[in-house]
Amino acid sequence: MLVFEAKLEGLKEQYGKLDDAIRTARFVRNSCLRYWMDNRDIGRYDLSAYCAVLAKEFDWASKLNSMARQASAERAWSAIARFFDNCKKNKPQKGYPRFKKEQTHGSVEYKTTGWKLSDCRRYITFSDGFGAGTFKMWGTRDLHFYPLKQIKRVRVVRRADGYYTQFCIDQERLEKREPTSKTIGLDVGLTHFYTDSDGHKVENPRHLRKSEKSLKRLSRRMSKTQKGSKNRAKLRNKLARKHLKVSRQRKDFVVKLARCVVQSNDLVAYEDLKVRNLVRNRHLAKSISDAAWTAFRTWMEYFGKVFGVVTVAVPPHYTSQNCSHCGQVVKKTLSVRTHICHHCGHTQDRDWNAARNILLKGLSTVGHIGTHASGDIDLCFGEETSQSKPSRGKRKSKK
């Protein structure tokens, strides 16, 4: 599944109508969630049928495209299904579904109706009851290579710097590459973003730390303004744009680095870190979040599937304590940055030693654990849109 994105250019009145559509989609999603809370024995199809009830009860809700209302109901059911799945797996954080509130970012999703592309594929028209009209699309993706039947979803996303449209195309992405006969193990850290098993290090960019001064200054200026004033809205938008820039810098860094690592090796081994547990340390939480280890791993697994490269996540236990030369355990604290083995006399950088251990574990488990890159990974959407299993039983085939 491919996701192409383009920025929408239109008039201020058109943007206001898109806001109305986004607000209505959020209302349908919250209403379906409330309907499930009042009737716990209903399923996915009952929520889809409830959309027609909302359209009859509220005139402004009927302006939204019928398939867009169903997509909002599917979002609600996705949150419900995730909650039930976490309960079955007995996870500590169940993730009970919550209502969506008014935010800077929001979205409305259309399926196969409610939108139309021009012949040149540079303009899109939204034809639902809100009448947003035609927008020009700015982007580098060419939609001429894909027929309209392959476009399964069209989503309008509102961000701090404007409105964007996303096309979800039913096309599997597979690319060819020449085998390199190289294997690599990666040890992520805070001093350096990662150290590989060959001793090469990549510096940690620290995007949030570099922009923290300007972020604090904007936050102080916004806190001094009066609530509900235009000055506060302007500063809030400036602050949101700054945060958006930091997130885009972080994403650009991990995407390019993950693609480079995957294309240069035939096997990539890395630690199966529980980042959610690591950020509980209040002294390192901000630095760990700024490093974006989870996003880097997700993109590596995605590119591993695209290029046909094996990606293996190994247990992180004793990767820093074991000696990569003799295998003996050498206890050391986090402040000790050099590995010195008292058994064989091997001396090496701590992170380099850990990367070599990660590679050895990855090579020993290939063919037993497998890769973590199986399945479609939705990387561009802000929310999950995966179709959950239907609540009805399977129908018997007619003979």
Side-chain angles (χ1 to χ4, degrees):
M1 194 70 71
L2 300 179
V3 179
F4 292 163
E5 183 176 287
K7 191 171 184 178
L8 296 177
E9 179 186 350
L11 302 177
K12 187 176 181 180
E13 297 178 355
Q14 293 178 290
Y15 294 147
K17 293 177 181 179
L18 288 182
D19 289 335
D20 295 338
I22 293 173
R23 190 180 302 109
T24 306
R26 185 177 65 252
F27 167 78
V28 173
R29 190 258 184 198
N30 292 341
S31 299
C32 291
L33 187 57
R34 170 54 64 185
Y35 183 62
W36 170 79
M37 291 179 179
D38 297 336
N39 307 274
R40 293 298 181 92
D41 56 340
I42 63 175
R44 171 184 170 187
Y45 296 99
D46 298 320
L47 293 183
S48 298
Y50 186 64
C51 295
V53 178
L54 292 174
K56 293 180 180 179
E57 187 175 356
F58 302 97
D59 296 336
W60 47 271
S62 62
K63 294 182 179 181
L64 188 64
N65 182 266
S66 60
M67 287 192 175
R69 293 195 299 265
Q70 293 177 3
S72 299
E74 289 175 2
R75 291 186 187 182
W77 181 251
S78 177
I80 296 169
R82 191 185 315 113
F83 167 69
F84 284 142
D85 187 55
N86 292 339
C87 291
K88 290 181 180 178
K89 295 180 180 179
N90 200 18
K91 291 187 177 181
Q93 296 182 355
K94 303 298 187 296
Y96 189 81
R98 294 187 295 179
F99 297 106
K100 294 290 184 180
K101 61 181 180 179
E102 178 68 24
Q103 294 175 333
T104 302
H105 57 276
S107 62
V108 57
E109 189 174 270
Y110 299 89
K111 293 186 179 180
T112 56
T113 61
W115 58 275
K116 183 179 180 181
L117 282 175
S118 62
D119 295 335
C120 63
R121 304 291 177 91
R122 301 303 301 172
Y123 296 87
I124 184 171
T125 303
F126 297 101
S127 57
D128 56 355
F130 293 102
T134 304
F135 295 85
K136 184 177 182 179
M137 297 187 298
W138 290 93
T140 58
R141 301 293 187 177
D142 193 355
L143 297 175
H144 283 93
F145 297 101
Y146 307 96
L148 294 178
K149 293 182 179 180
Q150 284 188 278
I151 302 177
K152 301 301 182 182
R153 305 254 174 161
V154 174
R155 171 180 283 187
V156 179
V157 182
R158 180 181 61 201
R159 297 197 179 103
D161 62 339
Y163 295 79
Y164 295 81
T165 179
Q166 295 174 341
F167 297 91
C168 187
I169 302 174
D170 187 12
Q171 177 70 33
E172 188 177 3
R173 181 183 178 186
L174 294 174
E175 297 185 17
K176 296 182 180 180
R177 57 177 290 275
E178 294 295 332
T180 60
S181 302
K182 295 181 181 179
T183 58
I184 193 173
L186 303 180
D187 178 70
V188 294
L190 295 178
T191 305
H192 298 88
F193 185 79
Y194 76 69
T195 303
D196 60 18
S197 53
D198 296 330
H200 302 121
K201 296 184 177 182
V202 174
E203 294 297 326
N204 190 358
R206 295 183 176 88
H207 299 295
L208 181 61
R209 294 290 184 181
K210 293 178 181 179
S211 303
E212 198 169 15
K213 186 177 180 179
S214 58
L215 288 171
K216 288 182 178 180
R217 183 175 63 252
L218 288 173
S219 298
R220 286 195 300 268
R221 289 179 59 189
M222 191 186 72
S223 63
K224 295 177 182 179
T225 57
Q226 185 178 0
K227 291 185 178 180
S229 63
K230 292 184 178 180
N231 289 333
R232 188 178 183 89
K234 291 180 181 178
L235 287 173
R236 182 171 60 247
N237 183 262
K238 286 184 180 180
L239 183 62
R241 284 171 179 261
K242 190 65 178 178
H243 279 290
L244 184 62
K245 180 181 179 180
V246 173
S247 65
R248 284 173 173 170
Q249 288 175 334
R250 188 183 296 120
K251 179 181 177 181
D252 181 74
F253 173 76
V254 298
V255 169
K256 292 179 179 178
L257 187 61
R259 184 186 178 97
C260 180
V261 169
V262 171
Q263 283 187 309
S264 304
N265 301 277
D266 291 340
L267 182 142
V268 181
Y270 48 89
E271 291 179 297
D272 187 14
L273 295 175
K274 305 298 181 183
V275 181
R276 179 176 294 181
N277 297 334
L278 295 176
V279 295
R280 293 179 180 178
N281 186 342
R282 62 186 183 90
H283 299 288
L284 301 176
K286 184 184 294 187
S287 299
I288 293 174
S289 300
D290 190 21
W293 294 338
T294 303
F296 178 66
R297 170 181 172 174
T298 304
W299 279 103
M300 274 200 307
E301 293 172 353
Y302 170 73
F303 285 123
K305 179 184 176 182
V306 171
F307 292 101
V309 176
V310 180
T311 58
V312 183
V314 302
H317 312 298
Y318 293 100
T319 53
S320 298
Q321 307 295 333
N322 291 347
C323 179
S324 60
H325 188 262
C326 65
Q328 297 295 327
V329 178
V330 181
K331 294 290 184 179
K332 60 179 77 71
T333 60
L334 287 175
S335 59
V336 179
R337 306 310 304 173
T338 303
H339 168 77
I340 301 175
C341 183
H342 304 290
H343 303 277
C344 65
H346 180 66
T347 302
Q348 198 173 32
D349 180 74
R350 176 196 178 103
D351 297 333
W352 190 359
N353 176 76
R356 292 180 59 182
N357 288 328
I358 292 170
L359 178 59
L360 292 175
K361 284 188 175 183
L363 293 174
S364 63
T365 55
V366 170
H368 301 280
I369 293 181
T371 68
H372 292 267
S374 59
D376 293 332
I377 302 175
D378 192 358
L379 297 169
C380 296
F381 283 169
E383 300 176 4
E384 293 188 6
T385 58
S386 59
Q387 303 295 328
S388 55
K389 294 183 180 179
S391 57
R392 295 181 180 177
K394 295 183 179 179
R395 297 181 180 179
K396 296 181 180 179
S397 59
K398 296 181 181 180
K399 296 183 181 180

